[in-house]
Amino acid sequence: MRNEAINRLIAAFRKLPGAGNKTAMRYAYSVLKMDEKDVQAFIEAIKNAKERIKLCSLCGNYTETEVCDICSKRDKTVICVVSEPKDILPFEKMGGFNGVYHVLHGALDFQKGVGADDIRIKELIDRLVGVKEVIIATNPDISGELTASYLANLIKPLGVKVSRLGYGLSIGSEIEYADALTLQRALQDRKEL
Amino acid sequence: MRNEAINRLIAAFRKLPGAGNKTAMRYAYSVLKMDEKDVQAFIEAIKNAKERIKLCSLCGNYTETEVCDICSKRDKTVICVVSEPKDILPFEKMGGFNGVYHVLHGALDFQKGVGADDIRIKELIDRLVGVKEVIIATNPDISGELTASYLANLIKPLGVKVSRLGYGLSIGSEIEYADALTLQRALQDRKEL
């Protein structure tokens, strides 16, 4: 009964993270019900974002300018290293952190074949001149911990202090969803590696 | 920190049913991470669906042809009336129903100002010549029940049998998510109105 065009639309929505078959179907049917104006706005928002948003040439976060707002205004002697751009949000929501970020765009995962050259580690090393501290805020899971140790071993010999978010993050959780309080605690109690 | 283009993209995803702020953010970031090819496929799937899919001139279900597959092949003397196109899916998944459908594209809701002229009731009446039975499968909620009584009062005087899905549907649930067994039971035990 369902036709090709609907199936393709459902398949497209299934590509969104966490969207199963029922959710994708629900989304597809809602798009079919939307009026033309809203569908155009939806498509435009996607196109516009993909066209205008690029990576900050310093930190690798999403930005519409060559260098992002954070890199151009804040204390460059403290760098907080995260896996993904979305991991920056809870820090900014928390407030009080005046350093800059570095987005790795991934984490080491040898089983999945993600090595040091596949994430933005070289770019981090290139930024270390004059830096006092690197705070590693990769996810508290196996891949994140591996990345943290790897970076510590690489950066400490260069005479830069390396710390890891401490207290408060529960193992297996994701930075992206950390609440401000937990994160503040984790930042205060960061451990030198 | 977040920029305009990302905010617009998040706002666009929030229009999807059931997508809250966190889900919309997750979707937006995943789109930014997608490669160009996948984004194009996503946009194409939406455009293609909106261009090619129209309403069947008989039943009002989504179709790519003038008359849908179901209307052109099946027993037109039994019509199952549903609120939305998506409500047809569980019936087809269940199998065994050989009649046709009629999609109202809504249900009566006087509080929200949805009256008889706002849904496809006239189109249903126009199809009743030669029809033996109308099975009403609107949702088992206030609006669905209201629509069912309204249709029964309208159709019974025309000498057509009108029934309502019976057993098995729990009050407040949605047809869209009915499992095959419950639905089969409800269809067997349908009550004449």
Side-chain angles (χ1 to χ4, degrees):
Chain A
M1 198 281 303
R2 267 197 257 154
N3 59 45
E4 193 46 44
I6 295 187
N7 288 342
R8 263 183 62 192
L9 187 57
I10 293 171
F13 277 114
R14 286 212 61 169
K15 297 243 167 111
L16 296 175
N21 206 33
K22 277 194 176 170
T23 302
M25 262 176 51
R26 205 179 171 95
Y27 290 164
Y29 276 97
S30 83
V31 166
L32 291 174
K33 240 183 134 70
M34 271 184 198
D35 61 33
E36 207 46 53
K37 204 173 96 293
D38 285 345
V39 172
Q40 276 312 320
F42 188 77
I43 289 175
E44 272 313 307
I46 295 174
K47 279 189 182 168
N48 177 60
K50 290 298 277 191
E51 273 164 25
R52 286 171 56 188
I53 294 169
K54 47 194 173 185
L55 302 187
C56 168
S57 60
L58 293 178
C59 72
N61 188 17
Y62 294 131
T63 174
E64 295 185 28
T65 46
E66 172 68 16
V67 171
C68 77
D69 271 9
I70 294 176
C71 281
S72 55
K73 287 179 193 155
R74 302 234 295 241
D75 177 10
K76 286 200 186 61
T77 65
V78 180
I79 298 181
C80 176
V81 177
V82 294
S83 289
E84 301 291 343
K86 62 188 173 186
D87 295 334
I88 291 176
L89 299 178
F91 284 93
E92 292 302 296
K93 208 170 159 191
M94 167 190 85
F97 174 69
N98 195 40
V100 294
Y101 298 94
H102 186 83
V103 184
L104 296 172
H105 287 275
L108 295 179
D109 190 330
F110 297 132
Q111 282 194 315
K112 287 186 182 162
V114 182
D117 293 340
D118 299 315
I119 60 179
R120 297 178 71 259
I121 289 180
K122 188 185 167 299
E123 289 86 343
L124 174 61
I125 304 302
D126 288 346
R127 295 177 71 188
L128 292 183
V129 183
V131 167
K132 289 185 202 144
E133 181 175 1
V134 171
I135 302 168
I136 303 180
T138 50
N139 280 325
D141 55 19
I142 294 173
S143 178
E145 294 296 342
L146 177 65
T147 309
S149 324
Y150 184 91
L151 289 177
N153 289 336
L154 205 64
I155 297 171
K156 278 196 296 184
L158 306 175
V160 178
K161 181 176 168 187
V162 179
S163 59
R164 173 101 175 95
L165 290 186
Y167 268 57
L169 296 178
S170 50
I171 298 297
S173 65
E174 291 178 277
I175 295 270
E176 183 185 356
Y177 297 117
D179 62 277
L181 212 64
T182 306
L183 201 61
Q184 203 143 30
R185 184 78 186 268
L187 197 63
Q188 280 163 9
D189 298 324
R190 61 187 185 267
K191 260 191 341 200
E192 191 166 351
L193 296 183
Chain B
M1 199 280 303
R2 269 198 254 153
N3 60 44
E4 193 46 44
I6 295 187
N7 288 342
R8 264 182 62 190
L9 187 57
I10 294 171
F13 277 114
R14 287 212 59 169
K15 296 242 166 112
L16 296 175
N21 205 32
K22 276 194 176 171
T23 303
M25 262 175 52
R26 204 177 172 97
Y27 290 164
Y29 276 97
S30 83
V31 166
L32 291 174
K33 239 183 134 68
M34 271 185 198
D35 60 36
E36 206 47 52
K37 203 174 96 294
D38 285 345
V39 172
Q40 276 313 318
F42 188 78
I43 288 175
E44 273 313 307
I46 294 174
K47 279 189 181 168
N48 177 59
K50 290 299 277 191
E51 273 164 25
R52 286 171 56 188
I53 294 170
K54 46 194 172 183
L55 301 187
C56 168
S57 60
L58 293 178
C59 72
N61 188 17
Y62 294 130
T63 173
E64 294 184 31
T65 48
E66 172 69 16
V67 171
C68 77
D69 271 11
I70 294 177
C71 280
S72 56
K73 287 180 192 153
R74 301 234 295 242
D75 177 8
K76 285 200 187 59
T77 65
V78 180
I79 298 181
C80 175
V81 178
V82 294
S83 290
E84 300 292 343
K86 62 189 172 185
D87 296 333
I88 291 177
L89 298 177
F91 284 94
E92 293 301 298
K93 209 172 161 192
M94 168 189 84
F97 174 68
N98 195 40
V100 294
Y101 298 94
H102 186 84
V103 185
L104 296 172
H105 286 275
L108 296 179
D109 191 330
F110 297 131
Q111 283 194 315
K112 287 186 183 163
V114 182
D117 293 340
D118 299 315
I119 59 179
R120 297 178 71 258
I121 290 180
K122 189 186 167 300
E123 289 85 344
L124 174 61
I125 305 301
D126 289 346
R127 294 177 72 189
L128 292 183
V129 183
V131 167
K132 289 185 201 144
E133 182 175 1
V134 171
I135 302 169
I136 302 180
T138 50
N139 280 327
D141 55 18
I142 295 173
S143 177
E145 293 297 341
L146 177 66
T147 309
S149 324
Y150 184 91
L151 289 177
N153 289 335
L154 204 66
I155 297 171
K156 277 197 296 186
L158 306 174
V160 178
K161 183 176 167 187
V162 179
S163 59
R164 173 99 175 95
L165 290 186
Y167 269 55
L169 296 179
S170 50
I171 299 296
S173 65
E174 290 177 279
I175 295 269
E176 183 186 353
Y177 298 117
D179 62 277
L181 211 64
T182 306
L183 201 60
Q184 203 143 30
R185 185 79 184 271
L187 196 62
Q188 280 164 9
D189 297 324
R190 61 187 185 267
K191 260 191 342 198
E192 191 166 350
L193 296 184

